[in-house]
Amino acid sequence: MKNNFLIIGDNKGRRIKTFTDCLKNKGIYNYSVMDWTEVLKNRKELEKNIKKSNIVRIEPPEKNMDIYKLFLDIGAESGGFSKDDMNKINYNENIIISPKSWFKGIEKTFLVIDKLIKENKDVLSMCDLKEALIMMDKGKTYGFLEGKGKSYYLPEKMPEYQNYDEFYEENKDNFIKCFIKLRYGSGSTGVIAYSNNPKIKEEKIFTSLNYTKENGNKTFFSTYNVKSYTDKNRIRDMVNWVLENGAHIEKWIPKLIYEKKGFDTRAFVLDKKSEYLLSRFSSSPITNLHLKNERKESEEFLEKDETEIIKKASEEVMTLFSKSLYSGIDIVLANNLKPYVVDVNPFGDLFHNLIGTDKNVHYREIDKILCKAAESR
C-alpha cells in the first residue's frame, strides 16, 4: 500500500510549498493539497480526500485575510461577534478582529477534521487536533502544564482583569514586570511587555501592537516593529484591548544575556525527543523571529549542560501532550538556569534558516510519520 499525504493549509503561504518540496526531494509524489478556503466551503471534498489518504498534515492559517474572515464567520456568534459587526469592517492584511471568534472558528473546524480522521481508522494525523487547540489557547496551555513539571517551570500567573483600570489599581504601588498576552494570539500578536516603577512613577510597555482612530473607533493591527510607549492613554488603550479580547498574564522572567541581547529558545520536539534548538535574540523583551530578530543555533553558543536543561524541559512538556507528533516549545532560561516554558506552538516547526537545506526538520517529520504508518499496518 502506497502512502498518500493530504496537506491542508494556505496555498498563498510559504508552509505548504516548504513541506511539499521536502516530500519531492525524498521522492514522494503521492500527496494532495487542500486550501483552507476549499476545506471550509466544501465538506464533501474534504471527506473524500481524507478517505483516500493515510497521512494528514495540517498547516495553520497564515496571514490571509480571506481565510481569516471565513474562520471569523464560523466562530462569530460563539465568540461574541455578530455577522453585522463583520460586515462593517474594512479588512486589511494586518488587522486583528475578535480573536476569540477567530479561535472559535478554528476550534469548530479542527473538531470536524478530527472526527473525520478518527472515522477512518487507517488515517494518521501529523498533529493531534484536540491537543493543538489546547496549545493555541495560552490559558488552557498554562492550566494543562501547571503542577506537572519536574524538569520545567512556568512563570507565575497573575489574576484575570476586566480592564486596564482594575489592573492598574491593583498594581500601581508595586514594582511589576509582566507579559500581558492575547490568549488566542499567535506569534507576537497582542503581546504586551508591561512594567511599572512606582518610585519614579513610570509605566512602560513594549509591543508590536498598534491602532488607528477614526470617528472615535479604534482599529488594532500587528506590525513588524516592537516599540516602547510611556503615554498613559496609549498604554490604557493597548492593555484594555488585550484584556477585553481575552488575556493570559504572567510575570516577566528575566532572560539570560548573550552579546548584550536577551534571548529565549525554540525547542523543536519530535516524537518526544528534542531535535533542534534555535535561540532568538532581541534588545526588546519580545523575541519572535517574524519581527526580524537575530537567530542562532543554540549549540553554537550555549554550554552543553544549558542545552541539556532546555532539551529535558521541552521533552517533558511533550510527554504530557502525549498524542502530538511534534511541537515547538519556547523556553526562557533564567539567570539561575531554570527553564521556563512561555509558549507551546503546535505548528512551531517552520525554521526559515533551514529551508532548502538537508537540516530542515520536515525531513525528520516525514521519516517518523512513515515509520508510524508502517507500524500501524
Side-chain angles (χ1 to χ4, degrees), residues 138 141-142 145 149 151-156 181 248 250-251 253 264-265 309-310 312-318 320-321 328-334 338-345:
K138 290 179 174 61
T141 300
Y142 193 99
L145 296 177
S151 304
Y152 68 82
Y153 298 83
L154 297 175
E156 181 184 342
K181 300 178 179 181
H248 171 75
E250 57 191 30
K251 293 289 181 68
I253 304 298
D264 63 9
T265 299
I309 288 169
I310 295 171
K312 191 174 180 181
S314 59
E315 287 170 356
E316 186 179 10
V317 168
M318 292 312 292
L320 297 171
F321 287 105
I329 318 295
D330 292 341
I331 305 278
V332 170
L333 202 57
K338 286 184 176 180
Y340 286 84
V341 177
V342 294
D343 199 15
V344 182
N345 188 333

Side-chain angles (χ1 to χ4, degrees), residues 2 25 28 42 99 112-113 115 141 149 154 225 250 373:
K2 283 187 176 180
N25 288 340
I28 300 170
N42 194 337
V112 167
I113 297 172
K115 185 173 183 290
T141 300
L154 297 175
N225 296 304
E250 57 191 30

Side-chain angles (χ1 to χ4, degrees), residues 50-61:
I50 287 176
K51 283 180 181 177
K52 72 179 186 181
S53 303
N54 71 313
I55 297 169
V56 177
R57 177 177 174 87
I58 305 293
E59 296 284 12

